[in-house]
Amino acid sequence: MIFLFFNKLIRIKIFKLVLMKSFLIFITSLFFLVAYGQVKTEESAYLKKENYIPYPGTSNDIEKTVHVAIHIWQRADGSGNMRDIPAHYARFIKIIDWMNGLYAKNPDAPIPGVPYKVDSIYDSKIRFKLEKIYFYKDATPDSSYFYSTDYLHNKKLNDYLKEHFPERVKTLNLHIFRGSYAKASGYSEYGSIGTFYRVNPEMSEDDVHDWWLSKHWAHEIGHGLDLWHTYDANGSYQQNCKSTYRDFLWDVYDTTAVPSGKGCNVDLITDKSNNNLMGGQEGNSMSVLQMGIAHRATVIENLYNKGYNMRDFVTGYGYWSKAIENNEVWNVSMKMYQDIVVKKGATLTIKTEIQMVPKAKIIVEKGAKLIIDGGVITNEKYYNKEWKGIIVRKAKKSSSVESGELIQMNGGKVSHAKVKYK
């Protein structure tokens, strides 16, 4: 019994010593992680819609341009759709101009509103540029390109372009063709938009549909920017139905209202009871949180409309630099539309692909570090040009501050740009 007692006592003491040692190791490790800048930046920070809202005068205040091309699919004889004539070119230019107005001017109060105060921004800072209009005469026996009743016909058309005209898929392609699908006006998935040609009256003969088309394309591009319908109850949308969702739009849906059912804890909006851009009436109101989601889709890969790659069609540059003032680790691929300045005492660690627009550069200040750990800092995909590169600030020999430092490790590299020390 005495032996068992002492044996148990020894085991308790050993357990306490192990526990204390483990605690000391944890505290020491945490100290070194914090001290040397290796605390991982939470991935969720890059996913928060609130971090992308284009508030005027902030580093998010950047006008971005979505480059689009229009593709008209005709019958073999050139009939059945818009035509390659000056009058139709002029109409398309006007339609794109109206689309820019829908995204640049947000004058109307949201309908319905919410009973509490929310922010509003007049300009979403998203624009559209028409690069080209293409016409195709479908010579297939069944006119399978000109006409379709299948969902995602736009993907078939874009795949055709990839095979025969690969240079034409660098833009966001807006396809117009004949057919129908589930009473829809069109759809937006897989990096392009499909729109059904309208009749009664014929689009090619009458411009009565032009204003509708501008709102339709603005709405469908919204889907490409990861925005979903304001009236659908779908658990995968993450923007309505449940206020616990990361991307719930509390500036669109009244969180104080009685739930409307359908498994939701908020009151949904019907397709005809609102003036939101993503509503059934395709209005011109856009909430601040919707703007945040849209701009996020220009920076990181689409979270919802998977495979869309919207950021590949977007360009822009803002003169508001992004300052890195604390230790950060970037492990989510991003496209940057501004200069990055790593401030004195901070370390920025890159573990993924970071795309830089042509006018952008990175400055590593004295006493700062830029570590490319297995990642790559390269150019963006649309212009595919060199960017302005990295400038590492050098300190004088007599200075008490150390020079900036660039460290490339584990295959990390700088591509399509030069590094300068000065």
Side-chain angles (χ1 to χ4, degrees), residues 152-215:
L152 296 181
H153 186 58
N154 62 309
K155 184 178 184 302
K156 174 180 177 178
L157 300 179
N158 240 36
D159 288 344
Y160 174 87
L161 297 182
K162 287 178 184 178
E163 181 179 355
H164 299 282
F165 307 98
E167 74 283 359
R168 297 183 185 181
V169 294
K170 68 180 296 184
T171 52
L172 173 60
N173 291 328
L174 315 176
H175 299 280
I176 301 181
F177 48 85
R178 288 265 190 165
S180 63
Y181 176 81
K183 298 182 179 180
S185 299
Y187 31 71
S188 178
E189 289 195 56
Y190 292 101
S192 69
I193 292 170
T195 297
F196 294 109
Y197 176 89
R198 280 205 162 187
V199 297
N200 298 325
E202 294 275 340
M203 289 179 70
S204 62
E205 305 300 331
D206 197 314
D207 66 0
V208 69
H209 299 295
D210 289 3
W211 175 240
W212 163 84
L213 185 55
S214 71
K215 297 177 75 174

Side-chain angles (χ1 to χ4, degrees), residues 344-358:
K344 175 184 175 182
T347 298
L348 173 60
T349 303
I350 306 295
K351 291 180 170 288
T352 184
E353 179 194 61
I354 300 298
Q355 299 180 15
M356 305 293 291
V357 297

Side-chain angles (χ1 to χ4, degrees), residues 248-262:
F248 176 73
L249 301 172
W250 48 264
D251 59 350
V252 173
Y253 301 93
D254 182 3
T255 58
T256 67
V258 177
S260 57
K262 298 183 179 179

Side-chain angles (χ1 to χ4, degrees), residues 65-67 169-172 297-302 307-315 335 337 353 355 379-384:
T65 299
V66 181
H67 298 263
V169 294
K170 68 180 296 184
T171 52
L172 173 60
T298 69
V299 176
I300 69 174
E301 295 175 328
N302 288 73
Y308 208 100
N309 300 322
M310 174 58 84
R311 66 179 184 175
D312 290 350
F313 313 128
V314 183
T315 63
K335 180 173 180 175
Y337 300 84
E353 179 194 61
Q355 299 180 15
N379 61 345
E380 56 84 39
K381 301 294 188 293
Y382 185 80
Y383 287 123
N384 197 26

Side-chain angles (χ1 to χ4, degrees), residues 363-376:
I363 299 175
V364 184
E365 291 189 346
K366 299 172 186 176
K369 287 183 182 180
L370 173 61
I371 302 174
I372 310 175
D373 183 3
V376 59

